[in-house]
Amino acid sequence: PQTMLSPYTSFVIAALSLLTQAQDSSPKFSFKNYLSGEWNVERFAVTMATSEMTPVSSGAYEFEPEKDSENLVGFWSPSEAGEDGEVVKDPVLVEFDALNTGSFKIGEDNDLLFNFYFQHFNGPWISHGEWNGVSDGFYQFNVVASDKFTITVFTHPMKEDGEVILFSASRVKNASEKTFFEKYGSTMMMVVFFLLFQRMKGDPRGQAGGGAGGEPTVEEKKNQ
């Protein structure tokens, strides 16, 4: 005879299936699509000798597609206001030669900060190369997640008592940008775990009784 699943068990299976599909449905990586939007960024100084991480500054990047081109334009706005009390907005230009290749430029003169070429080998998407900031060096851009990235800068020359610069960024999201899993995943998981917990306790509400179309309970068999 065919075994019938209780409504609760069916719901649990369906919920877990939806969560898996939401996590696996990731499109092909595009650095332009990834970088578009607003990012909160914190800068840290990491001491090589002690690995101590010290906050240095913070601010926000904002990027949007440039009209009539494949590039991104935007600005960098530090958290600290300028000397006149106004919010500073330094222009930023991200030029693309290909899907994940191009250059990151800053300032009114479009000074080159770094060139990028994103690759991945059974892991996260990364780019590395020369860094042309206040202190020249070598950088690695690491796409940690869809809403997080880090940039690690090793300055020239690298000394034992030197410092490594670390930028840690997180995406600023509004409700319309969130995925199904981000919106409802935590609620669905809470419901799933609650139902599983009820079944483990032997709660009759988590079992299919005879009146619900399942096998008769012990009490129902005694009364027959």
Side-chain angles (χ1 to χ4, degrees), residues 3-40:
T3 303
M4 296 183 63
L5 298 176
S6 71
Y8 293 100
T9 304
S10 300
F11 175 80
V12 169
I13 294 174
L16 293 176
S17 176
L18 282 173
L19 292 175
T20 302
Q21 292 176 16
Q23 289 177 307
D24 293 341
S25 59
S26 55
K28 182 178 180 181
F29 180 74
S30 162
F31 185 55
K32 178 180 179 180
N33 294 338
Y34 175 79
L35 196 60
S36 295
E38 185 177 352
W39 297 83
N40 287 329

Side-chain angles (χ1 to χ4, degrees), residues 102-105 112-116 130-132 139 141 151:
S103 55
F104 193 104
K105 300 180 178 181
L112 176 66
L113 184 59
F114 62 89
N115 292 315
F116 57 86
E130 292 294 324
W131 178 269
N132 302 304
Y139 85 91
F141 191 121
I151 301 176

Side-chain angles (χ1 to χ4, degrees), residues 128-185:
H128 48 77
E130 292 294 324
W131 178 269
N132 302 304
V134 176
S135 299
D136 292 342
F138 181 87
Y139 85 91
Q140 178 169 297
F141 191 121
N142 188 350
V143 177
V144 179
S146 62
D147 57 351
K148 291 183 182 355
F149 71 78
T150 61
I151 301 176
T152 307
V153 180
F154 303 89
T155 57
H156 295 322
M158 202 67 227
K159 302 177 181 179
E160 291 185 2
D161 59 348
E163 289 186 338
V164 173
I165 301 171
L166 175 65
F167 297 91
S168 178
S170 58
R171 184 187 301 278
V172 178
K173 293 185 178 182
N174 55 46
S176 62
E177 293 177 322
K178 293 184 178 180
T179 63
F180 176 86
F181 180 75
E182 290 171 330
K183 289 180 180 178
Y184 309 111

Side-chain angles (χ1 to χ4, degrees), residues 41-46 53-57 164-168:
V41 181
E42 292 185 272
R43 175 177 174 173
F44 300 88
V46 183
M53 187 183 309
T54 305
V56 176
S57 60
V164 173
I165 301 171
L166 175 65
F167 297 91
S168 178

Side-chain angles (χ1 to χ4, degrees), residues 61-64 72-76 89-94:
Y61 272 113
E62 188 167 334
F63 303 94
E64 63 181 11
L72 291 175
V73 292
F75 58 85
W76 159 256
K89 290 188 176 182
D90 295 323
V92 178
L93 171 64
V94 186

